[in-house]
Amino acid sequence: MSEFITALTDHAFLRTALLAGLLASIGCGVIGTYVVVKRIAFLAGGIAHSVLGGMGAALYFGFDPLLGALIAALVSALIIGGVRLAWSAQEDTLVGALWAIGMAVGILFIAKTPGYSTDLMSYLFGNILLVPQRDLWLMAGLDLALVLTVALFYRQFLAVSFDEEFARLRGVPVTFFYLLLLCLVAVTVVLLIQVVGLILVIALLTLPAAVAGHYVHSLGGMMVIATLLGIGFTSGGLALSYTPDLPAGPTIILLAGAVYVASAVLSGLLTRRRARRLAQRPVPAAMPAVGGILGPAGPNP
């Protein structure tokens, strides 16, 4: 750890990587909470993996891969949301098909990109150490858009996340806010691509919020704790991977997974202990019957 701290003061790319992890953690803490509460991790996975098609097309035609990723993520979110709303019975099959098609299209475009061979592994597993400083401004802008949108429509997203039928009865345009929520998930996926890559993005999107959900049951509290946990996972994983020269993205996910498993075990033990204490409490004596105080029931002699 001391070696990492020393290197942090000497190398600007490490400071940039830490800042990228912090910016990514804001998105995964805020939007990951909705993903966990609404249980749409599979839909988020479909969005994440279809992004590779946009990145491959952008590389092939000479554009910024993140721009292609953002466009592909938003288009995929709208398609997946429309599928879920219109054909919920076939939702898993269609999302799985879009998942596979997006990755296949991306690999084909990357393979045919003229002039050089792009390192596919950096897109699949991320490379936080190579995040350019110009991308930090894009990540900060995306974070700002996420936070402002959630703050503006917090109550609507809350209603849609927990009870869509109740939200409809209260006049909330559920379809609009559901699709908007999926678009926010798409933006968050783009935020996390540089840090952990497409394959591992769902883990970082869900694990911090899942750990927070073990101890906090308010949506706002989960967002705050999940964001702090995300910062801890990205910073800690980066530090752990530095000395042994391990890939940073998988190390971040392994750290998050280990904390999640430990938290799940601890939460289960605390729940059992609480239940045992409640079972051992003495049962309060029942109130005596009316007849026991005023005499036998029935008419007075």
Side-chain angles (χ1 to χ4, degrees), residues 46-57 72 76 95-110 198:
I47 295 171
H49 288 76
S50 63
V51 161
L52 189 62
M55 298 184 76
S76 299
V95 171
L98 186 63
W99 182 319
I101 290 170
M103 293 202 71
V105 169
I107 292 172
L108 289 176
F109 270 116
I110 291 173
L198 296 174

Side-chain angles (χ1 to χ4, degrees), residues 223-290:
M223 289 179 181
V224 173
I225 294 178
T227 300
L228 295 176
L229 286 171
I231 294 172
F233 293 153
T234 54
S235 303
L238 192 60
L240 290 173
S241 67
Y242 180 76
T243 300
D245 194 22
L246 297 173
T251 305
I252 291 170
I253 298 304
L254 284 177
L255 176 61
V259 172
Y260 172 76
V261 171
S263 176
V265 172
L266 178 61
S267 177
L269 292 175
L270 291 176
T271 301
R272 290 182 182 180
R273 184 178 181 183
R274 195 178 303 114
R276 194 179 301 115
R277 284 183 176 180
L278 290 175
Q280 291 175 351
R281 286 183 179 178
V283 179
M287 294 293 293
V290 174

Side-chain angles (χ1 to χ4, degrees), residues 20-21 23-33 35-36 40-52 55 66 69 73 80 99 103 121-127 139 142 146 182-210 226 230 233-234 248-254 256-257:
L23 292 173
S25 299
I26 296 173
C28 82
V30 174
I31 305 302
T33 298
V35 172
V36 170
I40 54 172
F42 182 64
L43 301 186
I47 295 171
H49 288 76
S50 63
V51 161
L52 189 62
M55 298 184 76
L66 281 184
I80 289 174
W99 182 319
M103 293 202 71
M121 299 295 286
S122 64
Y123 297 122
L124 296 179
F125 297 102
N127 200 336
M139 296 175 73
L142 294 178
L146 289 174
L182 289 185
C183 288
L184 297 182
V185 172
V187 172
T188 308
V189 165
V190 175
L191 275 172
L192 300 179
I193 284 175
Q194 297 259 54
V195 177
V196 293
L198 296 174
I199 291 179
L200 305 176
V201 67
I202 297 304
L204 193 59
L205 188 63
T206 56
L207 289 178
F233 293 153
T234 54
T251 305
I252 291 170
I253 298 304
L254 284 177

Side-chain angles (χ1 to χ4, degrees), residues 151-174:
L152 188 61
F153 301 115
Y154 180 81
R155 292 182 180 275
Q156 289 87 342
F157 285 135
L158 182 66
V160 170
S161 297
F162 285 99
D163 195 335
E164 291 186 8
E165 292 302 322
F166 175 76
R168 283 193 179 93
L169 292 175
R170 294 299 299 270
V172 176
V174 172

